[in-house]
Each structure stands twice: as C-alpha cells, then as structure tokens.
Amino acid sequence: MTARHAATQRARYAPHTLATRPRVSVVIPCFRYERYVAEAVGSALAQDHVEVEVIVVDDASPDRSAAVVREIAATDARVRLIENAVNRGAVETFNTGLAEVTGAYVVRLDADDALTPGSLARAVALAEAHPSVGLVYGHPLHFDADRSRPPARTRPTRWTVWPGREWLRARCATGLNVITSPEVVMRREVVDAVGGQRPLAHTHDMEMWLRIAAVSDVGYVEGADQAWHREHAGSLSQTVDADLGDIVDRWDAFRTLFAWSRDVLPETDALERVAARAFAAEAIDRIVHMYDRGRFQPEVAERLRAFADSVSDTPATTAALERAAGRGPHARPLPWQVARAAYRRVASDVRYRRWHRYGVFHRDGQVG
C-alpha cells in the first residue's frame, strides 16, 4: 500500500527524533567522478540513527571511479558497486540502482554531492511521524567546487507537511523547481507505486518529485541544511540551453507528469492549463526584462515568444511587452523601465530568502 494524502491543509509541527532505526538506501549514480565519489559515499556511511546501505552504479566511467568504490566496498559491507558495461546515462543508471534497494526509504545522491551530518535521520523522523508523506526535503547548500564546503546547520526548527496535491498545484502555478536533488528522501513504497525516473535530459529529478506529490503528501525540514550540492563545469546542470536556460526542460517535466497523471489526478487538465500560463508568462516577462535592462537580443526574444505560443493558448503578449517593444529594441531604458528591472531583482531576492527558509515560493514572492 502506498502513502495516501492525509493532510487537508499545510501544517507545521515541532520536530522530534527517531525512536527506531529505519533502513535507508542511498543510490549514487557515478560517471567520471573519481575525484568526488569517495566523499559522497563517506557522507552516506557517516549518517547516524538509521541503517544505511549505499548502492553505487558506475556508468562505465573511463577514470578510476569504480576502483575507488571497489576499495571502499572491500572494507564496508554496507557498500555495493554495480558497473554498467556501457554508458547508459544518468536516468537508466539511477533506475538500475533503484531496482536493487532494500530500504524503507530511498535517496538519490549524485557522486559529486554529499549529505550533511544527520540529514537522513532528520528527514526520516518526519516521514515516520507522518505516514502519508512520500517525499521529504530540506535546504541544500550550494558551493563552488574550488572552495571548501560551507558549514551546515544541523538542528531542525520545524516540520512542514503539505497535502501533496496542494504542493503540486503551487509548483504548477509558478513552473519553478524548488528542489535541487540530494536533499530529498523518498518513501520506497511510494516510489514503487509511481516508478523510477523518466528519460528527461535535465529535469528527471524534478518530474519524479512532482509525480510523488500527486499520490502522497510532502514534508519539509526547516532550519537545517540537508545536503551539499557542488557547482562545477562538469555537472549536468551546466549543460542547459545557454540562451533560454532551463525553461524548456522544466516544461518537459510538467508535460511528462501530465501525460502520466491523467489516470491519477482528475484535475490534470486544469493543472496543465495553470502551468502553461505560468510558463508563457515567464517567457514573455523575460523578453520585457531584456528591454528594461537595455540588453535586447532579437534571436533569444523570438525563441522565447515561440515557446510561449507553443505552450499556451493565451496570446503571447502583455501590455508591458507592447509598451516596451513600441520604443524599439535599441531604445535607452526609461526611468520606469530601470525601476521595474530593479524591482525584479528585489523580488528575486525575496523569493530566494523565502525559499531558503520555507522551501517553497510563488513567483510574486509569497510562500507557497
């Protein structure tokens, strides 16, 4: 039986510690991360108050990644190594490891990331206290690969539990992703029900979070940092479209979700319309922002407008766009345009601060 929606509205609770030692399976897909994989494995093995198994799936790495893991596994029975004979990509590699898990909870940890001390116990404590929760996440610490990891907060201040579909509707209303990846703990029975990751280039994680929220509630550990995410040139996130960013990839995640959810969510059509309007609005807003900053790029603007037209029946224009475009692409920004660009920067900072604390945000800066 999978976790069912139990919460009827967002609720907050005082956190408490685990009374048992649940088993958590940490799946680590690895490709050419000889430099980092030992750190990822070590961060999982160092977790306290839970029983950990680590399954590393090496995707035919040409470096010593597999050898590094093999050496660790030789001295710690909690570590298993699976080696792909040929390179299969991030999604198939994770799904291979997922098929081997034995824990009640599952974590997908990239080989260049790491878990913070106690993160699994903090997340699992919430899930154990609220059986309807299928996904628990928290705040990730992003850091540059050339710098040392920042110190992590390890004392949670509050738990938040959303009805999964309420959380999902909020994601549709913005089209934005609020989860990086390594900070997530999933209930295995829910993962078994919804399946593994789908073949998406950059948003396979995001789509899986959305799918889990369609059938179970979502929890957030407030006040603690749950994982470290390393930023470097070789990471998958650095390969998104240089001009459009990840807007097309995020829309692909939602489209994949909606294709699956029609048999699960009666409100799928309504959610799809909401998401489509959000993506179209984001694309048009980005065109307006180029005018406001005096950095108009015709080719990028045309791609954004075409994208907006493709996702929504709503006309891909706004009064703000018409007003800005009417002055021409090379016009010097007027004071009201400079002020609007400055407001966007402030609003973006507010959104980040709210996400940092609450784990969610709306495009207007309000908590989701």
Side-chain angles (χ1 to χ4, degrees):
M1 173 165 306
T2 63
R4 300 294 182 183
H5 293 281
T8 57
Q9 59 184 356
R10 181 182 62 186
R12 291 190 169 96
Y13 305 90
H16 55 76
T17 57
L18 277 169
T20 59
R21 289 179 62 86
R23 187 171 179 82
V24 182
S25 300
V26 180
V27 179
I28 304 179
C30 180
F31 178 66
R32 209 163 52 190
Y33 277 151
E34 172 189 353
R35 293 176 55 194
Y36 305 127
V37 66
E39 184 179 358
V41 173
S43 74
L45 295 176
Q47 296 295 309
D48 54 12
H49 305 301
V50 294
E51 292 187 10
V52 175
E53 74 167 348
V54 178
I55 302 172
V56 181
V57 187
D58 184 72
D59 196 19
S61 295
D63 61 6
R64 293 190 69 257
S65 293
V68 170
V69 178
R70 198 176 297 114
E71 291 167 3
I72 299 173
T75 62
D76 197 318
R78 295 175 295 171
V79 180
R80 295 174 54 195
L81 172 64
I82 299 172
E83 297 183 65
N84 290 344
V86 296
N87 185 269
R88 298 170 60 188
V91 171
E92 285 193 41
T93 297
F94 169 71
N95 287 341
T96 295
L98 181 62
E100 300 296 321
V101 302
T102 64
Y105 297 94
V106 181
V107 173
R108 182 193 186 281
L109 179 64
D110 283 335
D112 55 341
D113 294 336
L115 301 175
T116 58
S119 66
L120 297 188
R122 290 190 292 271
V124 171
L126 187 160
E128 288 285 284
H130 299 278
S132 67
V133 169
L135 181 151
V136 180
Y137 70 110
H139 184 259
L141 288 168
H142 292 239
F143 72 103
D144 190 282
D146 297 326
R147 299 182 180 181
S148 59
R149 296 184 312 200
R153 300 169 299 165
T154 58
R155 291 190 176 184
T157 57
R158 186 166 53 181
W159 292 341
T160 301
V161 174
W162 291 272
R165 293 178 186 179
E166 176 188 306
W167 187 88
L168 177 59
R169 281 192 292 272
R171 307 290 71 75
C172 292
T174 66
L176 301 174
N177 190 13
V178 297
I179 298 175
T180 300
S181 179
E183 69 272 26
V184 169
V185 174
M186 299 169 281
R187 191 180 298 273
R188 182 189 169 190
E189 63 176 354
V190 175
V191 174
D192 289 344
V194 303
Q197 292 185 336
R198 304 293 196 254
L200 295 166
H202 297 100
T203 50
H204 40 268
D205 288 344
M206 177 184 180
E207 190 276 333
M208 191 173 186
W209 316 148
L210 299 174
R211 206 171 347 122
I212 291 173
V215 301
S216 68
D217 294 335
V218 176
Y220 183 76
V221 178
E222 186 176 321
D225 299 310
Q226 290 294 88
W228 285 290
H229 175 71
R230 182 180 270 106
E231 304 281 2
H232 60 94
S235 65
L236 185 63
S237 60
Q238 300 303 311
T239 63
V240 297
D241 190 295
D243 292 326
L244 299 191
D246 67 349
I247 187 171
V248 176
D249 293 299
R250 283 186 280 116
W251 175 240
D252 284 344
F254 279 94
R255 286 200 308 163
T256 301
L257 167 75
F258 297 138
W260 169 85
S261 68
R262 297 197 188 283
D263 295 332
V264 178
L265 294 176
E267 63 266 41
T268 291
D269 288 343
L271 291 176
E272 186 168 13
R273 288 192 294 271
V274 169
R277 287 195 294 269
F279 276 95
E282 178 182 346
I284 296 305
D285 189 62
R286 287 178 57 181
I287 299 173
V288 174
H289 193 47
M290 283 193 286
Y291 281 110
D292 290 350
R293 298 174 66 204
R295 298 180 183 178
F296 186 77
Q297 299 174 272
E299 297 83 2
V300 176
E302 181 57 34
R303 291 181 65 193
L304 286 168
R305 186 186 287 274
F307 170 77
D309 286 336
S310 72
V311 302
S312 178
D313 293 334
T314 302
T317 188
T318 63
L321 176 57
E322 291 178 351
R323 186 179 181 188
R327 302 188 63 249
H330 305 295
R332 187 180 182 86
L334 294 174
W336 57 266
Q337 290 179 293
V338 174
R340 188 164 59 190
Y343 170 80
R344 284 194 185 90
R345 288 193 295 271
V346 172
S348 177
D349 183 63
V350 170
R351 286 198 301 271
Y352 173 78
R353 291 177 183 275
R354 289 182 178 272
W355 168 77
H356 177 84
R357 180 172 181 181
Y358 299 108
V360 288
F361 49 75
H362 286 314
R363 191 174 299 283
D364 62 3
Q366 297 303 308
V367 177

